[in-house]
Structures are given as structure tokens and as C-alpha cells.
Amino acid sequence: MSDETALAAHQQEYAAATSEDAKRAAAAAAGSLLGRVEGDLFSSANEVRAAMTARLSRDFLAAITVATPKMAAAALRGRLLDGCAGAVALDGDGRVLEKLCANAEAVPGDAALAKAAASCLEDEALATGDGRVRDGAGFEKAAFLEPLLAVGPIPPWDAFARPGPRLVDPVGAGAPRHPSLSYFRGLSGFPRSHDYERQALFLRSRNRRALDAAVKIVEKALKSKTARQGVLAWLARALALGAPLSETRVRQDRAWHPSDAPSPMFGVNVAALALRLAAPLWEKGLGSKVDWRYALRDERVAFSSSEPLFQGDGAAADDASDSDDDEDLTAEEKRLMKQALEMSLKPATPGFFPKDDAPDFSFITEIFFLAHKAVSAYVLPLWAEFGHQQQFLHDAGQGRVAPEVLEKRSRMHADGWLCALEDPRLLEDAAALATFSTDWLLAQLSAPDARDRASRLPAALVKDACDLWSTLARCAERSSAAAARTGTAASFGAHEASKAVLACCELMRHGLVESPIVHAKMVDFVCELLRAGGRRRPRGGARFGADAGLAGAVLDSERVRRALPAALAHLYTAVQAVVGLDVDSDDAIDKFSVRRRLNALLLTFWRYPLREPRQALLDFLGDAAKGKELGLAFLDTVVYCGEDALGR
């Protein structure tokens, strides 16, 4: 008897059963049979299981996933792919994608399938801890939502370059066959913005339907209180397994996507899914319901290794009497030793299910921190990977490939990536999260126990917000206002940028925000806004008004002109050196490079034709204590620059 015949017999037994025990026995027997299935020369075991379960009844399929959770992914994947002949592509007539989405959209409305989906998500999370799934690539391959989350316009990197390194012709005979390689190939040459925008809008609308179907499945599973912990664990593991994207230390290797990480498109869609789940936080104003104490324990997100907003002046002073051997150490060295000791006493790795004796946090709290993790795990690292790949194509092609051919390949690569990364809803959700995070953080810094909260909350909440705002500023510069109005580009104008700058002003002046990286990122964001205006402004053009672009968020707002100069002056005195930072990191900074950028910003405001910025600086200097601190900081910078010049 073939496996297909045996499975059909078990389904008949299930249908004929008159008791729950008999039904469970039939489902368990079917699950056992599916567990013994092996792949063949043309298909993997999971693909064979998916084909076998595609035609099973919904009730029997749900019973199998409950009786044998390890078989749930293959069974549900078979249900999703039922009737889908061929690869899922965004272009063309879209029949395969249409069928896939229709199958997925039916899951939340079917109680049995929805229950099976929740069971499957929990089992996929457990698989990352019991050895069945070893890395992010394996997680993506095993996920039953993979057909929905892996579809997208990002082309495979091996279609453009191979280890060696060497360049590859993406349309040549040896190039890999991938639907995304055809999405933008037929676009006309320069100017091509309208052709690109039309194609991008078309592809994004189809990709969004697949993503929305996945979001609805996860939302339905989250509504079950018994399944919620497993679903949140699945999302946490999907985000945690993107860690290799941020761990490549050798700069030359950052163009190569880590083999143990999920694919770029899967990462983008998982991040978009997390942000969609979190959207009610800013849409309904739920900041007061986010519990900051979530950062006190490593559970679904690891916080123990994250730099806090506030570390305290001479933090080791509290332990000064612990040992006479520490008398010769500096305060900074003592602080680092104390931090290392505290970290060594904490669990080595975060779990992804709450401990039995740990209090439960609300879904609102959990999804806030998971959404932030989505940005730091996928959105920002994938933007960086795209930039490194573009740089590699440029550097490797110089002198080896004809300029027009190199431009065509680079444009083809960029079109696919930007179609995914510049999806308006993704960027607007990320920008809303950034604004929500800084507003929430400022509320924490005004609490009676603000010092304790600032010493536990991760500085990355601000750092990533500034990186997102800087990214949005660059995207807005590439996009036209018309594209933003028609929905083909994210809406990030002077109003949104001005609000972000004012939030930075409050953080710059706050004594509990002492992270050097946060200081540097806030300065970078303001510089990015002014650079965006400068790139758009013709030589000799206006520095304010309609021609200023996003620089108008800084220069045209009276509130910003009054608040920002003094905040920058305060930051000039507050910024500190970074000890022990990896020099190859994208976050590698030193206080004098930050002060150099601050010098340029302060001069811009001092020379500005309207009087508010200069008056704000004069008022700051009018305070004797603040003026003295700023003068000493200026002297410190002058001495450093003098010593550096003499040393050259």
C-alpha cells in the first residue's frame, strides 16, 4: 500500500469515528505516517508531505497538526500551495500568487485551520531550541508561512556576484533563474522614474496582499489566549535568527548575505509583519500601557548586552570599598569591570517562552519591544547590506565592465531592493514606531524613578529611531512629492522631520541620555536633513523656503531655530569618548568627530540670516556655568586638534 493510499485510509477512519479517542487515534496514525515520509531525487521530504496533505479535509488536517505538531508546517504548507502550479511570482498574470493568497485568506475564517496554524507557529518556535532548526535559513525553509513571506522583488545576490569575488551577468546564461530578475529588466533607460514608479506600485500591491494574508493568520492565532505565548515566541525567534546580519565585522564581507540568516525578502516581510501588528500602538495612542520593566529580563528580546541610555557618573564608586586592589583603576575601568561581572551572572542566552514564575506582560508591551527588534534585526541591517552590495558592484566593475553595462546591472539590482525597502507602508510604520518610541521614552525620563529606568532601557531605542529618520530623509530626497501623494513613496516631509528634530532637542538636553552613540546618531540625523536640502538646492539658491527641501524642517521652523542651537551647544559639552568600541563597526565614533560635525552645525546657525538661532546661542552663553563648560569643551577640542596636527 502506498503512503498516499494509507493516508486516505486514515482519513476515512477519522470520518467514520464516533468518539473523540478514535478520531485522535486516526489523526495520530496519519501524523506518524507523514513523519516517516522521505524525499526523493526531485523533492524534499517536506515537499512530498505538502503534496500528500494538500487534498485532506480541513478537520482532518487540523486534527493531525494537534496530534502531531511537528507535521503541522508541512500539512499547512500543502494547504496554502493547493492548486499552485509553478513558482510564485509577482508579475505576469499572477494566477499562482492569486491562488496562494486565496488559500491563505481562508485560514483565519476556518476555526480548525486557524487552530492548526497557531499550533504550527508554536512548534516552529520550539524547533529552534530542540535542534530541528539550527539557523535563520533553516527557520525560513521550515516555516509554513514561507510561501507568503519569501515572495518579493529583491533579486538574489548570486545573480550579480560570486565568491572570489567576481561579477556575474544577471541576464547571462549562467545566472540563477529567479522571478525577481525579470521585474525591472524591461524598463526604459534615463529618465525612468515614471516607469519604475508604475512597476513598483504594481509589484508592491501584489506583495502586500501576500503579506496581509500572513498578518491575518498571525493575528487570528494571537487572539487565542492559549496560543498567544507560542505565537509571540515564533515572532521572537524569527527576529532573533536575523542576528547574523549585524554580526559581520569585516567590512569587505558585508556585501555577502550570511548563509545562516533568512533571505533578505523574508527578513523584510517579517519586519513588516511585526510593525503591522504593532500599528495600533501609535494609531490608538497606547504608550501609557507599555511597561518599561520588560527591559529588566532577557526573555524574548535580549537586553543584558545592550548599552543603556544612562550609565551614571563613576558607577563603580558604589563598590569602592569592595577591594583594595582596585585603587589604581580609573572610574571608567571600574565601571566596565562591574558591568562585565553583572553580565556574567545573567543567563547566557535569552529564552523565548516566559518562565513559569515570571509575571506575564501584556501583548501591548511585548509587541512594542518586538517591533523595535524587527527594526534593529532586519530593516536597518538590510539597508546597510544593500548599500554594501551597491558599493561592491561599483568597485568591482571599475575598469572591468563597460560603464553602460555596469550602470544597467547596478540599476537592476537597486530597483529590486528599493522596491522592497522603500515600500511606503513599511517606511511609514517604521517612522511611526520611531516617533512613538521617542515620545514613550521621554515619558519614562519624566517619571519619579527616571534614573533607574534610564539605566535599564536600551539606548538603541533612540539610536535606531535616528537611523530610521536619516533613512527616511534619504528616501524622501529620491522621491518626488507627487510620488508621496500617489502612494508610491513614503510621506516624510518637513512637518514629520521637524517633529523628529524637536524630540532630539529634548533628548540632547536631558542629563539621563548620556550614551555617546545616541549623541552621535542625533547629530547625524540633523546633518542628514541639512545635507538633503543642500543637495536639492542649486548653487547660490535659497537656504530656506520651498527650495530648502527637508532642510526646511530645521531652518524654516521657528521652534526648531530657537530650541536646536542651545541643544547642540549642550551636547557639545556632554558628548564623551567611546571606550572599547569595535573600530570596524558602523557605529564606530569618537567625540572629536562628533564635535567636528557640531562645529559645522553651530556655525550654520550662528551665520543664519534670521536672528533666533544666534540669540539662542547667546542666551546659552549668558549662563555662566554653561558658558564655562562650553568654553572648556572648545579648548579640549582645540588642544586635541593641535596635538593631532603636530603628530602628523
Side-chain angles (χ1 to χ4, degrees):
M1 182 184 298
S2 67
D3 290 338
E4 290 81 358
T5 303
L7 186 62
H10 289 311
Q11 181 169 223
Q12 291 175 356
E13 292 173 8
Y14 177 86
T18 57
S19 67
E20 290 299 321
D21 289 341
K23 288 185 176 182
R24 282 193 291 269
S32 178
L33 185 151
L34 290 171
R36 297 192 300 270
V37 168
E38 297 179 352
D40 54 32
L41 296 176
F42 305 97
S43 306
S44 67
N46 277 337
E47 289 172 336
V48 173
R49 293 188 190 104
M52 291 175 62
T53 56
R55 301 290 177 167
L56 296 180
S57 69
R58 292 192 298 272
D59 290 342
F60 188 48
L61 183 67
I64 292 175
T65 59
V66 172
T68 317
K70 294 181 180 181
M71 295 296 104
L76 282 170
R77 184 190 288 256
R79 175 64 60 178
L80 292 181
L81 295 176
D82 182 24
C84 299
V88 179
L90 296 178
D91 63 352
D93 61 16
R95 293 180 184 177
V96 177
L97 180 65
E98 171 70 25
K99 182 60 177 174
L100 171 66
C101 292
N103 291 341
E105 289 163 355
V107 172
D110 187 293
L113 289 180
K115 184 177 180 180
S119 175
C120 183
L121 292 171
E122 179 173 348
D123 184 67
E124 288 177 7
L126 292 170
T128 64
D130 62 17
R132 285 180 286 153
V133 171
R134 298 184 179 277
D135 55 29
F139 181 85
E140 175 184 353
K141 187 176 180 180
F144 87 91
L145 290 176
E146 184 267 345
L148 296 167
L149 296 178
V151 63
I154 296 180
W157 177 232
D158 61 356
F160 297 87
R162 301 284 173 83
R166 62 186 178 88
L167 294 180
V168 178
D169 182 1
V171 297
R177 298 174 61 87
H178 195 275
S180 62
L181 292 173
S182 65
Y183 293 162
F184 297 97
R185 186 187 303 177
L187 296 187
S188 60
F190 182 84
R192 60 185 294 157
S193 60
H194 295 302
D195 289 339
Y196 168 77
E197 288 173 2
R198 281 195 296 268
Q199 179 72 345
L201 182 62
F202 170 70
L203 296 175
R204 286 168 181 161
S205 64
R206 287 190 164 182
N207 186 67
R208 188 172 295 179
R209 183 179 176 190
L211 175 62
D212 287 346
V215 171
K216 293 297 183 184
I217 291 173
V218 176
E219 281 183 336
K220 180 65 175 180
L222 284 168
K223 290 178 180 178
S224 169
K225 291 185 178 180
T226 58
R228 184 173 300 165
Q229 295 298 331
V231 179
L232 288 172
W234 176 87
L235 183 57
R237 298 311 295 160
L239 299 174
L241 291 171
L245 294 172
S246 306
E247 293 175 349
T248 304
R249 292 302 178 205
V250 181
R251 191 173 295 273
Q252 292 82 353
D253 292 343
R254 292 178 185 170
W256 305 93
H257 190 79
S259 60
D260 55 350
S263 67
M265 201 63 244
F266 187 85
V268 169
N269 282 328
V270 166
L273 184 150
L275 289 169
R276 275 287 83 201
L277 293 175
L281 296 182
W282 47 85
E283 293 172 352
K284 298 181 179 181
L286 301 178
S288 61
K289 295 185 178 181
V290 177
D291 191 341
W292 74 275
R293 292 172 296 178
Y294 191 81
L296 297 180
R297 70 187 198 211
D298 285 348
E299 199 166 273
R300 304 198 206 278
V301 182
F303 295 101
S304 59
S305 59
S306 301
E307 179 190 6
L309 278 172
F310 179 73
Q311 294 175 337
D313 298 326
D318 294 339
D319 298 336
S321 61
D322 288 351
S323 174
D324 295 336
D325 296 335
D326 292 344
E327 292 180 357
D328 295 332
L329 298 179
T330 66
E332 177 64 19
E333 289 171 334
K334 291 179 180 179
R335 183 188 66 77
L336 291 173
M337 288 181 63
K338 179 183 178 183
Q339 185 179 27
L341 178 61
E342 290 176 346
M343 289 175 61
S344 69
L345 296 176
K346 292 183 177 181
T349 57
F352 43 93
F353 283 93
K355 297 177 181 178
D356 293 338
D357 58 346
D360 289 337
F361 287 101
S362 68
F363 173 75
I364 292 173
T365 295
E366 296 224 44
I367 199 59
F368 168 69
F369 287 100
L370 287 173
H372 172 258
K373 180 66 176 178
V375 169
S376 62
Y378 287 121
V379 177
L380 295 175
L382 287 172
W383 267 106
E385 181 176 310
F386 163 63
H388 288 300
Q389 290 185 358
Q390 282 281 294
Q391 188 65 47
F392 176 87
L393 291 177
H394 176 271
D395 295 343
Q398 291 295 314
R400 298 184 180 91
V401 181
E404 62 275 10
V405 174
L406 182 60
E407 169 63 21
K408 184 176 180 180
R409 292 182 186 178
S410 178
R411 187 70 262 172
M412 185 176 171
H413 173 268
D415 284 346
W417 272 88
L418 293 177
C419 182
L421 293 177
E422 289 189 349
D423 179 83
R425 191 173 70 177
L426 171 65
L427 289 183
E428 289 171 2
D429 279 347
L433 173 67
T435 302
F436 180 86
S437 298
T438 51
D439 290 346
W440 176 81
L441 194 56
L442 286 168
Q444 307 311 305
L445 295 178
S446 63
D449 58 344
R451 185 184 181 93
D452 187 37
R453 298 189 185 194
S455 66
R456 304 299 185 94
L457 289 170
L461 287 172
V462 183
K463 168 189 167 297
D464 291 345
C466 291
D467 281 339
L468 280 171
W469 286 328
S470 297
T471 299
L472 280 164
R474 290 188 288 270
C475 293
E477 184 187 7
R478 282 193 294 268
S479 305
S480 64
R485 287 195 299 270
T486 58
T488 58
S491 176
F492 188 75
H495 174 74
E496 292 83 5
S498 179
K499 185 177 180 180
V501 172
L502 289 172
C504 288
C505 289
E506 292 191 57
L507 292 167
M508 288 178 188
R509 293 192 299 262
H510 207 292
L512 294 179
V513 181
E514 66 166 19
S515 166
I517 293 179
V518 167
H519 292 165
K521 291 297 182 180
M522 290 189 289
V523 174
D524 287 345
F525 168 52
V526 177
C527 290
E528 185 62 47
L529 291 178
L530 293 179
R531 279 197 297 268
R535 287 190 289 259
R536 291 184 56 182
R537 188 177 64 249
R539 185 178 295 275
R543 293 182 59 86
F544 51 89
D547 291 331
L550 282 180
V554 179
L555 301 176
D556 287 353
S557 168
E558 183 177 348
R559 285 187 64 195
V560 174
R561 291 198 303 268
R562 292 179 183 277
L564 185 55
L568 293 173
H570 174 81
L571 191 60
Y572 198 101
T573 66
V575 67
Q576 298 294 324
V578 179
V579 178
L581 189 66
D582 182 0
V583 295
D584 287 326
S585 169
D586 288 335
D587 294 329
I589 61 167
D590 65 84
K591 70 176 180 179
F592 296 107
S593 66
V594 177
R595 284 180 175 176
R596 176 179 57 80
R597 298 195 291 278
L598 283 168
N599 284 334
L601 292 173
L602 291 171
L603 280 174
T604 297
F605 283 113
W606 184 259
R607 296 168 177 170
Y608 195 67
L610 299 180
R611 68 180 186 84
E612 294 99 335
R614 181 179 296 190
Q615 187 60 49
L617 288 172
L618 290 173
D619 291 343
F620 182 89
L621 293 170
D623 186 304
K626 293 179 180 178
K628 180 180 178 180
E629 288 182 0
L630 185 60
L632 291 174
F634 282 150
L635 180 61
D636 180 39
T637 303
V638 170
V639 170
Y640 169 81
C641 292
E643 291 179 347
D644 184 63
L646 292 173
R648 293 175 186 272

